[in-house]
Amino acid sequence: MEENLNQYWKTVVNTIQDGVMIVTPDGQIVSVNQALVDMTGYAREELIGAPCSILGCSTCELARGIPQCHFCVMFEKGELRRQKCGLVRKDGTRLPVVKNASVLRDADGSVIGAVETITDISDLVDKEAQIEIFRRELSAEDSFHGIVGRDARMQQVFDLIDGVAQTDAPVVIYGESGTGKELVAKAIHDAGPRHDQPFIKVNCAALNESLLESELFGHVRGAYTGAHKDRVGRFESAADGDIFLDEIGDLPMATQVKLLRVLEEKVIERVGDHRPIPVRARIITATNRDLPELVAKGQFRQDLYYRINVIPIRIPPLRERREDIALLASHFFRRSQMKSGKQVRGISREAMDQILRHPWPGNVRELRSAFEYALVACKTDMIEPRDLPAEVFRQSEVCLPGEVSGRSLDEIKKERLRKALEEAGGNRSEAARILGISRTSVWSQMKRYGIGSG
């Protein structure tokens, strides 16, 4: 019976995932379980009979020096609880662990040894290291409210953000798709006195005219088919905060008239109602289009243009701030690496050369998407040119920065859009992934360049 019980206890101890070790009062190991063998890399025969110092515990080293007592601190106290330390494996690598220990006594109360459990916390330590890297990433010297850049033109943008954040004047942000217009709008909000108030975003190109007006101004029950109850619009939701109207150049003319009234009179009317509702939110707009050209064509109201263009901020495209490409590449690599959890050490020189040669028509968004793709495609410990999206790889082989000036940006973007749609079989979402832009931007560009979806 006693032999069976011993066998049962051996099975139980060997099933435990934590390492278990029993030592004598003089520190000699007399028993270990399979988990400790796997954890340390030593064979069971190498551990049994060896001194506990074989494991090179970082905290036990401090406790030595008292004859016949390698566990002096624990033996004095009778136990050890949640002690973080490092063990040294047989191959010389260090393993972070948490130890718990208790003395063992016989029937007379005399100490006959100690039992110790050892928990491997290397995964936790790796996660803590990643969190620390992420924390440093967020507070990087080359970032401003999450916008990365050290180029002189970006520094001017940062100065403008600081200045306009303290005012209530309307701001319009100009920039190509993917330059980070929404980040700039959010930075204006965060840097100003309205930072503790709502920041409400609306994409003016994503909805048709009737839905857009309901989204912006709200509606009353029965205003149109399907309006079963009153609805608060985005302007009311913004309260004393900021409302960000993206793609303002695509705003329908009828909605432009109503937005002009909001700017001039600070009131709105819900769809289906004529009662004015005061609004206090500051309006920030953004566009990737040439508003003066739209005004000249009669597609954008001149009076509205003058009202929103009080403080213009122009974000330079990535090809005009080439100093920032390597900086942003490293930034997005680290973020994508942390998201994926893959053990990729860095970007090869050849891949970085390809990245620096690419014209980046999709700007920062395209660069970010390129690294999200590369981390998935990478099968080694370094990102190589073959891991980059095919569009980036192909264009960087044939299109050096000096050659971009030979064609207009619209020609480049139109050609890339046509190729992406062809490769995606007309699927807009897939084309957006290939180009590193949003599906809405794909739809807007198709409309602008007169390209059908197939």
Side-chain angles (χ1 to χ4, degrees):
M1 181 66 177
E2 186 176 343
E3 184 179 339
N4 286 339
L5 284 174
N6 286 336
Q7 186 59 44
Y8 292 153
W9 278 115
K10 283 183 181 179
T11 302
V12 170
V13 171
N14 280 323
T15 304
I16 297 172
Q17 292 185 351
D18 290 346
V20 179
M21 175 173 70
I22 298 175
V23 299
T24 62
D26 63 355
Q28 186 182 45
I29 301 173
V30 294
S31 180
V32 296
N33 71 342
Q34 187 59 43
L36 190 71
V37 170
D38 296 338
M39 203 179 287
T40 63
Y42 286 101
R44 188 183 301 272
E45 295 75 22
E46 294 175 292
L47 292 171
I48 302 298
C52 61
S53 57
I54 191 175
L55 299 179
C57 176
S58 56
T59 55
C60 288
E61 288 174 4
L62 301 175
R64 294 192 185 114
I66 299 176
Q68 298 182 335
C69 186
H70 287 273
F71 272 48
C72 59
V73 173
M74 193 278 297
F75 273 94
E76 285 178 2
K77 295 182 177 179
E79 64 178 15
L80 189 67
R81 290 288 176 260
R82 294 187 293 276
Q83 174 68 61
K84 281 188 179 181
C85 60
L87 300 184
V88 179
R89 295 186 182 98
K90 184 179 179 179
D91 62 7
T93 58
R94 186 163 286 276
L95 177 71
V97 299
V98 168
K99 298 199 307 181
N100 288 279
S102 294
V103 297
L104 299 172
R105 300 178 186 273
D106 61 16
D108 298 326
S110 301
V111 174
I112 59 172
V115 61
E116 183 172 323
T117 62
I118 300 171
T119 305
D120 179 354
I121 59 168
S122 51
D123 286 345
L124 178 61
V125 169
D126 288 343
K127 285 184 173 64
E128 287 176 345
Q130 287 184 347
I131 290 169
E132 176 60 20
I133 293 169
F134 190 60
R135 187 193 64 77
R136 289 201 302 269
E137 189 73 27
L138 290 175
S139 59
E141 291 180 3
D142 294 312
S143 85
F144 177 86
H145 290 282
I147 309 169
V148 175
R150 65 164 71 106
D151 182 271
R153 278 162 289 197
M154 287 306 295
Q155 296 302 317
Q156 291 174 356
V157 170
F158 298 160
D159 289 342
L160 270 174
I161 290 171
D162 266 337
V164 303
Q166 308 308 317
T167 75
D168 287 330
V171 179
V172 60
I173 304 164
Y174 294 97
E176 296 172 9
S177 291
T179 49
K181 296 186 291 295
E182 183 178 326
L183 281 177
V184 170
K186 187 65 166 62
I188 292 170
H189 175 76
D190 290 342
R194 299 171 181 262
H195 67 273
D196 57 349
Q197 297 295 320
F199 176 75
I200 303 296
K201 299 174 289 185
V202 182
N203 188 319
C204 299
L207 301 168
N208 63 37
E209 184 177 325
S210 60
L211 288 176
L212 179 60
E213 289 195 9
S214 174
E215 191 74 18
L216 290 173
F217 310 123
H219 63 248
V220 295
R221 196 179 79 171
Y224 53 84
T225 304
H228 301 301
K229 60 181 180 180
D230 291 357
R231 184 180 189 277
V232 173
R234 297 297 185 93
F235 270 98
E236 287 182 78
S237 298
D240 290 318
D242 292 304
I243 184 166
F244 173 52
L245 306 180
D246 198 7
E247 308 284 6
I248 191 71
D250 294 295
L251 199 67
M253 291 296 284
T255 313
Q256 289 180 32
V257 175
K258 296 185 177 182
L259 179 60
L260 180 63
R261 184 187 178 195
V262 176
L263 284 159
E264 290 180 340
E265 302 178 19
K266 299 292 184 185
V267 295
I268 62 164
E269 289 179 1
R270 290 182 180 178
V271 177
D273 196 5
H274 297 293
R275 290 173 294 177
I277 300 172
V279 292
R280 301 174 300 278
R282 191 256 292 272
I283 296 175
I284 303 172
T285 58
T287 183
N288 59 10
R289 307 186 66 180
D290 186 335
L291 288 187
E293 182 181 340
L294 294 179
V295 170
K297 291 179 178 178
Q299 296 173 1
F300 200 86
R301 292 183 63 96
Q302 187 175 50
D303 45 7
L304 178 59
Y305 167 71
Y306 288 132
R307 287 308 305 257
I308 66 171
N309 200 55
V310 177
I311 303 178
I313 297 179
R314 301 183 186 276
I315 309 175
L318 191 53
R319 65 185 176 279
E320 292 180 9
R321 42 183 288 224
R322 302 200 69 82
E323 179 189 355
D324 285 342
I325 293 177
L327 177 69
L328 284 160
S330 297
H331 171 78
F332 290 132
F333 163 73
R334 289 192 295 270
R335 292 214 164 187
S336 298
Q337 181 194 40
M338 285 185 286
K339 273 188 195 175
S340 69
K342 293 180 74 171
Q343 298 302 308
V344 181
R345 291 189 295 112
I347 310 164
S348 73
R349 184 184 298 276
E350 295 76 15
M352 184 60 81
D353 286 344
Q354 295 280 16
I355 289 165
L356 293 172
R357 286 204 297 266
H358 186 59
W360 299 109
N363 291 293
V364 180
R365 186 189 292 124
E366 183 187 7
L367 181 57
R368 181 188 65 198
S369 297
F371 275 98
E372 290 174 353
Y373 176 93
L375 261 294
V376 172
C378 185
K379 303 301 181 188
T380 62
D381 64 346
M382 293 289 285
I383 290 179
E384 301 291 346
R386 64 177 177 270
D387 301 319
L388 299 171
E391 190 68 21
V392 175
F393 190 26
R394 284 200 301 267
Q395 282 232 355
S396 58
E397 287 181 312
V398 300
C399 187
L400 298 175
E403 297 173 327
V404 178
S405 58
R407 294 183 293 163
S408 72
L409 177 64
D410 276 344
E411 289 173 329
I412 295 171
K413 291 174 81 170
K414 184 176 181 179
E415 181 181 337
R416 291 187 78 234
L417 178 62
R418 183 179 285 116
K419 285 182 179 178
L421 284 165
E422 184 178 323
E423 187 176 331
N427 185 297
R428 295 177 188 175
S429 297
E430 178 62 16
R433 189 198 64 77
I434 293 169
L435 294 171
I437 61 178
S438 67
R439 189 176 183 277
T440 301
S441 294
V442 167
W443 178 80
S444 297
Q445 289 183 23
M446 287 174 65
K447 189 167 69 169
R448 185 182 312 169
Y449 301 134
I451 297 175
S453 61

